[in-house]
Amino acid sequence: MKSEMKYPTESLLQSKALSGYQQDFARVVLKEPEYTMKEAKAALDGFFGKDVK
């Protein structure tokens, strides 16, 4: 099984994929040095009250 690639948190925050989130809050939520895209979206969706799949 291929593992998902992890990206530096700062790169994720600047990515188009996470541009829909309020950046100030996203910086507080994403405390680890790196995440997979799936992990980052799940953490942010949970914080902002969106349905987490």
Side-chain angles (χ1 to χ4, degrees), residues 37-49:
M37 186 61 72
K38 190 176 193 176
E39 291 169 338
K41 284 186 175 185
L44 292 169
D45 287 347
F47 177 80
F48 288 110

Side-chain angles (χ1 to χ4, degrees), residues 23-37:
Q23 295 298 297
D24 291 341
F25 292 112
R27 286 183 199 287
V28 173
V29 173
L30 301 179
K31 300 173 190 166
E32 299 299 321
E34 59 183 24
Y35 291 89
T36 65
M37 186 61 72

Side-chain angles (χ1 to χ4, degrees), residues 5-20:
M5 186 162 175
K6 289 198 173 202
Y7 301 95
T9 302
E10 191 58 37
S11 294
L12 288 170
L13 290 169
Q14 294 176 11
S15 73
K16 212 174 217 183
L18 299 184
S19 65

